[in-house]
């Protein structure tokens, strides 16, 4: 009964007296900490001080950017939840060093270690089995001096270069009083990270293969060699401790910032952004595909989304929203594209008290397609992120078509040892070979059929996937393979062209009867580690499907 009497009073306090912003009531933070983050009544005098025409406007430093709370009576209230997140860091750091000035050096070292490791640590689930190299060195061919980068992450055919900046995102000084300093502090934060990424990418392009080093006891010790041709996606990232939207989204308009090597756009993120991306993009494939789309948007000038949550919301609702934006601005230098409100789908996910137990919004994939993606992720054979990326590029209609074809043919594997089809409705054509798990894969036949199917639909490039299905109808594993498309008719490949002609006269779904002398999986001979991979890639088994 007592609790029942409190509820109406609490509701009135929340609605009329700011109770919903009462940090003392809604958190268990100690009063001493809250006091350091809060103004007392009348304490802030600069915002409305006389002396120029900008008093009381955002051209003065907003008080909440210095301290995000205010003390009223014995309680502490948040001015705005975003300021508590974005500006609390400054107030905490200032008061920490006021109380413990000798701790500055230790703090800076720990903060540097934290920020440089943050990308790989926070996104560990999205980066399974990735090679993570921290504090890597190389001799810059231009300056002949040793250069250093923070974090290099290699996963399948995707490369992330992360330059972490732990400093403040922008000067706390009033823009009206010192706008040059205010603007320069933001540019410095972005440009320093960009320049370090640019130097590294130029080094990658300086040779077919380049060595990287760690510094051990004052000496440079080679730790690995990198060949940039092995990486389909390369994303240079500037990572900040503080969120500084919208500057992070608009930094691409700086004339100094161009896509690295003419191709790889620079992306600015904050550590706070990573925590949200981790929740909404829980698999390596979804995260890698988002970063591909995000990088594409970062390379489009005159296209504005306020912050990372808007980019994420646009991706969840529209998928390849970079293509929509490109249609709006490319080719017309007078046009701007400003997308607003795209973060609603993200914001609403945190509204309820039980938000942690409710599934987060995600792009929709029909059940059969989702199972294929899960099998690719579980197998993680070389090229799996490329295969996922192509499937994730599909629009709604193609996803539904793919799901139906997978489902229909999978259910006939009790009558056929394998089924195959090619889907060329959307993005890059996709060739899928469904195989009974108890039989050995005949890679020559797979490659021949894929080549013929590619010729049948006049494709210049095709991604191939072999999926093995158990007797229970479950995808046991799925692996991509390179589809070789012949360009010249010869005696050796004449049968492929003939097969392609037959395929072009039929539907895109083809069945395969039981091959003569089909070999059960129990009798299959596994290739040696140094043998050519049977998928036809031309590389050794250990470096391809033997990984």
């Amino acid at each position: 009964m007592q609790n029942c009497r409190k509820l109406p009073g609490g509701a009135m306090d929340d609605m009329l007296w700011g109770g919903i912003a009462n940090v003392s009531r809604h958190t268990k933070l100690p009063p001493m900490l809250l006091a350091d983050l809060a103004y007392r009544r009348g304490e802030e005098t600069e915002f409305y001080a006389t002396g120029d025409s900008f008093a009381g406007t955002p051209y003065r430093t907003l008080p909440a950017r210095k301290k995000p709370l205010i003390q009223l009576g014995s309680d502490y209230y948040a001015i705005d939840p975003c300021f508590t997140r974005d500006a609390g860091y400054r107030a905490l750091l200032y008061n920490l060093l006021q109380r413990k000035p000798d701790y500055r050096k230790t703090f800076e070292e720990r903060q540097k270690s934290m920020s440089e490791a943050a990308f790989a640590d926070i996104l560990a689930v999205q980066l399974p089995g990735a090679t993570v190299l921290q504090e890597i060195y190389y001799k810059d061919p231009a300056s002949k001096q040793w250069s250093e980068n923070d974090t290099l992450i290699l996963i399948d055919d995707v490369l992330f270069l992360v330059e972490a900046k732990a400093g403040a995102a922008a000067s706390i000084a009033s823009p009206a009083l010192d706008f040059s300093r205010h603007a320069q502090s933001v540019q410095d934060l972005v440009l320093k990270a960009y320049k370090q990424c640019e130097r590294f990418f130029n080094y990658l392009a300086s040779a077919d293969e380049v060595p990287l080093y760690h510094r051990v006891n004052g000496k440079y010790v080679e730790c690995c060699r990198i060949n940039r041709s092995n990486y389909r996606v390369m994303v240079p990232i500037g990572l900040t401790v503080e969120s500084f939207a919208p500057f992070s989204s608009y930094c691409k308009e700086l004339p100094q910032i161009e896509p690295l090597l003419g191709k790889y756009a620079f992306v600015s993120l904050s550590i706070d952004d990573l925590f949200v991306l981790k929740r909404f993009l829980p698999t390596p494939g979804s995260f890698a595909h988002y970063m591909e789309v995000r990088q594409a948007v970062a390379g489009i000038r005159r296209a504005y989304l306020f912050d990372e949550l808007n980019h994420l919301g646009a991706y969840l609702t529209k998928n390849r929203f970079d293509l929509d934006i490109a249609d709006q601005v490319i080719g017309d230098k007078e046009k701007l594209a400003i997308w607003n409100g795209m973060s609603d789908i993200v914001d609403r996910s945190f509204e309820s008290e039980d938000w942690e137990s409710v599934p987060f919004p995600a792009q929709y994939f029909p059940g059969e397609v989702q199972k294929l993606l899960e099998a690719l992720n579980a197998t993680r054979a070389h090229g799996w992120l490329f295969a996922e990326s192509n499937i994730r590029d599909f629009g709604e209609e193609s996803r539904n078509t793919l799901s139906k074809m997978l489902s229909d043919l999978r259910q006939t594997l009790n009558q056929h040892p394998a089924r195959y089809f090619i889907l060329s409705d959307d993005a890059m054509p996709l060739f899928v070979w469904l195989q009974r798990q108890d039989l050995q894969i005949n890679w020559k036949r797979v490659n021949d059929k894929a080549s013929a199917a590619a010729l049948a639909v006049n494709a210049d490039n095709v991604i191939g996937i072999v999926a093995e299905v158990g007797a229970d109808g479950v995808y046991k594993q799925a692996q991509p393979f390179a589809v070789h498309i012949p360009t010249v008719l010869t005696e050796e490949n004449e049968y492929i062209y003939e097969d392609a002609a037959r395929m072009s006269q039929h539907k895109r779904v083809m069945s395969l009867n039981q091959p003569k002398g089909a070999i059960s999986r129990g009798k299959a001979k596994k290739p040696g580690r140094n043998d050519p991979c049977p998928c036809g890639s031309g590389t050794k088994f250990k470096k391809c499907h033997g990984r």
Side-chain angles (χ1 to χ4, degrees):
M1 180 64 72
Q2 188 174 3
N3 289 334
C4 292
R5 293 194 188 100
K6 289 181 178 180
L7 289 176
M12 293 297 292
D13 183 58
D14 283 349
M15 289 190 296
L16 303 178
W17 300 101
I20 196 170
N22 189 330
V23 183
S24 300
R25 176 151 65 91
H26 293 296
T27 74
K28 297 180 181 179
L29 297 175
M32 182 180 293
L33 174 62
L34 296 177
D36 282 347
L37 295 175
Y39 285 107
R40 294 185 299 276
R41 283 179 180 269
E43 179 183 352
E44 213 291 326
T45 58
E46 294 181 5
F47 189 58
Y48 285 104
T50 58
D52 58 57
S53 59
F54 296 111
T57 75
Y59 284 95
R60 292 284 184 90
T61 299
L62 294 174
R65 291 196 64 228
K66 300 178 184 177
K67 294 183 179 181
L69 307 181
I70 186 170
Q71 181 180 0
L72 299 175
S74 60
D75 287 345
Y76 297 89
Y77 292 78
I79 307 301
D80 180 281
C82 293
F83 280 118
T84 304
R85 177 197 68 190
D86 297 342
Y89 164 77
R90 297 170 181 268
L92 286 172
L93 178 58
Y94 173 80
N95 285 284
L96 173 66
L97 298 181
Q98 284 290 104
R99 287 187 169 85
K100 294 185 176 182
D102 295 339
Y103 183 62
R104 176 181 292 275
K105 184 176 180 180
T106 302
F107 174 84
E108 290 176 348
E109 291 174 351
R110 290 182 174 180
Q111 181 177 244
K112 181 177 183 295
S113 298
M114 178 278 296
S115 59
E116 290 179 358
F119 194 92
D121 285 350
I122 295 170
L123 299 172
V125 173
Q126 286 74 13
L127 303 169
T131 298
V132 180
L133 302 171
Q134 290 186 309
E135 294 188 350
I136 52 173
Y137 292 83
Y138 56 93
K139 184 164 282 190
D140 182 19
S143 67
K144 308 301 181 184
Q145 301 295 317
W146 285 98
S147 298
E148 183 260 349
N149 285 90
D150 291 336
T151 306
L152 179 67
I153 301 171
L154 310 172
I155 175 169
D156 196 32
D157 60 355
V158 177
L159 178 153
F160 296 109
L161 180 68
V162 183
E163 282 302 312
K165 296 300 175 187
S171 171
I172 204 72
S174 167
L177 301 178
D178 194 347
F179 186 81
S180 296
R181 178 185 168 196
H182 186 85
Q184 192 61 48
S185 64
V186 176
Q187 292 190 37
D188 286 348
L189 194 69
V190 174
L191 290 177
K192 285 179 181 178
Y194 173 81
K195 288 296 183 183
Q196 286 179 282
C197 290
E198 181 183 40
R199 189 163 52 240
F200 181 83
F201 272 60
N202 289 339
Y203 176 64
L204 285 183
S206 66
D208 291 339
E209 187 176 79
V210 296
L212 298 178
Y213 301 82
H214 284 317
R215 194 171 184 180
V216 182
N217 298 325
K219 296 182 179 180
Y220 296 101
V221 179
E222 184 176 323
C223 59
C224 68
R225 288 179 172 262
I226 299 292
N227 186 329
R228 74 184 180 103
S229 65
N230 292 334
Y231 298 97
R232 170 184 55 90
V233 176
M234 299 200 299
V235 187
I237 297 171
L239 184 68
T240 59
V241 171
E242 287 186 279
S243 173
F244 64 120
F247 303 115
S248 54
S249 297
Y250 295 175
C251 68
K252 63 186 174 186
E253 298 298 324
L254 293 172
Q256 303 96 316
I257 293 185
E258 295 283 350
L260 301 184
L261 304 180
K263 182 178 180 181
Y264 305 104
F266 177 78
V267 178
S268 181
L269 297 171
S270 75
I271 291 178
D272 279 341
D273 295 333
L274 301 184
F275 285 108
V276 181
L277 297 180
K278 173 184 179 178
R279 295 179 184 276
F280 284 81
L281 306 168
T283 68
S286 61
F287 176 74
H289 187 246
Y290 170 76
M291 291 304 297
E292 287 185 62
V293 177
R294 177 67 176 86
Q295 184 180 39
V297 175
I300 304 175
R301 293 187 184 274
R302 307 186 314 281
Y304 302 117
L305 287 86
F306 185 81
D307 59 13
E308 198 61 33
L309 302 192
N310 277 278
H311 286 87
L312 176 60
Y315 174 75
L316 293 174
T317 55
K318 294 182 175 294
N319 192 29
R320 290 300 305 274
F321 71 103
D322 58 308
L323 302 179
D324 297 328
I325 289 179
D327 287 341
Q328 293 175 359
V329 300
I330 290 180
D332 189 340
K333 294 184 178 180
E334 301 299 320
K335 281 189 175 181
L336 298 177
I338 301 175
W339 286 33
N340 186 38
M342 301 307 297
S343 66
D344 286 351
I345 188 175
V346 179
D347 298 335
R348 288 196 300 269
S349 301
F350 297 99
E351 289 179 349
S352 65
E353 293 184 0
D354 59 345
W355 63 269
E356 289 183 286
S357 60
V358 177
F360 288 96
Q363 288 192 14
Y364 171 72
F365 288 92
E368 202 76 16
V369 179
Q370 185 64 44
K371 292 174 184 176
L372 180 63
L373 291 172
E374 290 171 358
L376 283 166
N377 181 46
T379 308
R380 293 177 193 158
H382 180 59
W384 109 86
L385 288 179
F386 181 39
E388 279 212 38
S389 177
N390 279 275
I391 293 174
R392 293 177 184 278
D393 275 347
F394 283 175
E396 180 181 1
E397 183 178 351
S398 290
R399 292 180 183 186
N400 289 331
T401 301
L402 175 59
S403 180
K404 178 169 174 44
M405 295 168 78
L406 287 169
S407 178
D408 289 349
L409 295 189
R410 177 181 56 76
Q411 295 179 57
T412 65
L413 287 177
N414 59 339
Q415 305 163 24
H416 304 273
R419 303 297 303 274
Y420 62 92
F421 63 88
I422 188 166
L423 178 63
S424 57
D425 287 349
D426 223 346
M428 185 184 296
L430 176 68
F431 177 85
V432 178
W433 179 282
L434 298 179
Q435 169 89 36
R436 276 169 40 186
Q437 189 194 28
D438 60 333
L439 298 176
Q440 180 186 7
I441 298 173
N442 184 334
W443 279 104
K444 183 179 185 308
R445 190 150 194 167
V446 173
N447 286 312
D448 287 348
K449 289 296 182 182
S451 298
L455 289 173
V457 297
N458 296 316
D460 295 325
N461 205 353
V462 173
I463 180 69
I465 296 176
V466 171
E468 299 180 53
V469 182
D472 55 0
V474 175
Y475 293 99
K476 300 301 182 181
Q477 61 178 358
Q479 53 188 311
F481 68 97
V483 178
H484 301 284
I485 306 174
T487 56
V488 179
L489 176 63
T490 65
E491 289 186 10
E492 289 76 16
N493 65 22
E494 183 178 7
Y495 69 97
I496 293 178
Y497 279 84
E498 292 174 352
D499 199 12
R502 287 192 294 271
M503 289 183 185
S504 62
Q505 298 174 8
H506 299 82
K507 295 181 179 179
R508 58 193 160 194
V509 180
M510 306 90 180
S511 64
L512 178 67
N513 293 323
Q514 179 75 25
K516 293 181 179 180
I519 304 173
S520 67
R521 179 165 294 277
K523 298 179 181 179
K525 181 181 179 182
K526 184 177 180 180
R529 284 175 51 77
N530 292 313
D531 291 341
C533 188
C535 77
S537 64
T539 59
K540 293 181 179 180
F541 179 66
K542 66 182 180 182
K543 291 185 177 181
C544 193
H545 285 94
R547 286 187 174 187

